[in-house]
Amino acid sequence: MSFSFERLHHVQVLCPPGGEDDARGFYGGVLGMTELPKPPALAARGGCWFRGGGWEIHVSPVADFVAARRAHPGVLVNDLDGLAERLKTAGRPVEWDAHFPGHRRFYSQDDHGNRLEFLEAVTD
């Protein structure tokens, strides 16, 4: 094979038109990610981008928005319990799921209902 994958650059999720402030509140506020400036040609389309802890998420508005209930990014986390507590304190859902070998994990969602998975490797 003449190519190799380096790493995931970003994940895109959708939001309803005008949903950028809710995205800022969740990704920037609750999760503490840094909002990135969008290139001017892309900024004209709306949406917002965030980066933090080795992952990037792009939030894009669409007229016929439907939240992703199954598709999701899976994000490795240090201190999974700390993140769960932060989400609960902010009034966000935390749904634990013990069915992923070698990891503890839970699901949450952004303020538009998009599913997010957070995992931490189990060490013996």
Side-chain angles (χ1 to χ4, degrees):
M1 184 164 47
S2 62
F3 69 90
S4 64
F5 295 112
E6 185 178 332
R7 65 179 178 85
L8 180 67
H9 184 272
H10 70 273
V11 173
Q12 179 174 323
V13 297
L14 304 178
C15 73
E20 290 89 348
D21 285 343
D22 287 338
R24 288 181 178 100
F26 182 75
Y27 293 103
V30 175
L31 296 185
M33 299 176 80
T34 301
E35 185 169 356
L36 304 172
K38 291 182 68 173
L42 297 177
R45 300 178 188 173
C48 41
W49 295 357
F50 301 90
R51 181 184 297 144
W55 72 297
E56 194 169 304
I57 191 153
H58 296 180
V59 182
S60 298
V62 294
D64 57 348
F65 169 73
V66 176
R69 303 280 185 203
R70 297 282 300 172
H72 61 271
V75 181
L76 288 171
V77 176
N78 290 318
D79 190 12
L80 191 65
D81 293 314
L83 174 59
E85 187 59 35
R86 183 177 182 108
L87 287 164
K88 287 181 196 174
T89 298
R92 299 332 193 270
V94 173
E95 180 185 326
W96 289 94
D97 183 338
H99 300 104
F100 196 89
H103 292 80
R104 295 176 60 233
R105 74 173 175 176
F106 67 80
Y107 293 100
S108 189
Q109 57 185 282
D110 67 14
D111 289 349
H112 299 111
N114 293 303
R115 189 178 201 191
L116 304 166
E117 178 181 350
F118 297 102
L119 309 96
E120 184 173 47
V122 174
T123 57
D124 294 326

